[in-house]
Amino acid sequence: MYAQHTTVGIGRSQEHIRKVLRKYGAEDFSVGQERGFAIVRFLVGRLAIGLRASLPPRNDYRSERQWEQEERCVWRRLLLVVKAKLEIVESGIASFEKEFLP
């Protein structure tokens, strides 16, 4: 699984997501956590985009360390998705609508 051994902290991953969003021209973005989900929201032009990934429930893990590791993995995976989708659009492989809209 991608990033299963990451040592990058959640805050650093969130900041990296913000940096990627700025690089690709997103506006009014937020990166955070809400009701058991990792959330990324941003505007591109007049389109409001929201991405979310489930965060692991604490009781699914034997130790605090395992749970924290999985949380770090979720944020690294979300960064990968954001970066990949924006690069695909930027490079012309797919349209913004195809990558981000239902």
Side-chain angles (χ1 to χ4, degrees):
M1 291 180 64
Y2 179 77
Q4 74 182 46
H5 300 293
T6 188
T7 59
V8 178
I10 291 169
R12 196 161 150 216
S13 292
Q14 290 173 340
E15 185 52 40
H16 198 166
I17 291 169
R18 289 182 194 95
K19 184 178 177 182
V20 168
L21 291 171
R22 278 191 292 276
K23 175 183 174 184
Y24 288 96
E27 300 173 339
D28 295 332
F29 47 83
S30 64
V31 178
Q33 184 172 321
E34 196 174 281
R35 295 185 199 131
F37 291 95
I39 304 288
V40 177
R41 293 187 181 109
F42 59 97
L43 294 176
V44 172
R46 297 173 70 172
L47 296 173
I49 305 300
L51 301 171
R52 70 182 195 166
S54 295
L55 291 170
R58 171 63 185 99
N59 58 353
D60 286 358
Y61 295 86
R62 289 186 219 167
S63 71
E64 185 83 11
R65 185 175 176 207
Q66 288 176 327
W67 174 62
E68 289 171 353
Q69 180 63 33
E70 184 56 29
E71 263 201 318
R72 286 193 299 272
C73 290
V74 168
W75 281 103
R76 295 310 289 174
R77 292 175 194 138
L78 193 52
L79 167 62
L80 179 66
V81 168
V82 169
K83 190 184 277 189
K85 285 180 169 285
L86 289 169
E87 182 58 31
I88 286 168
V89 170
E90 181 78 14
S91 65
I93 293 171
S95 70
F96 186 86
E97 291 78 9
K98 181 173 184 204
E99 286 304 312
F100 288 100
L101 298 179

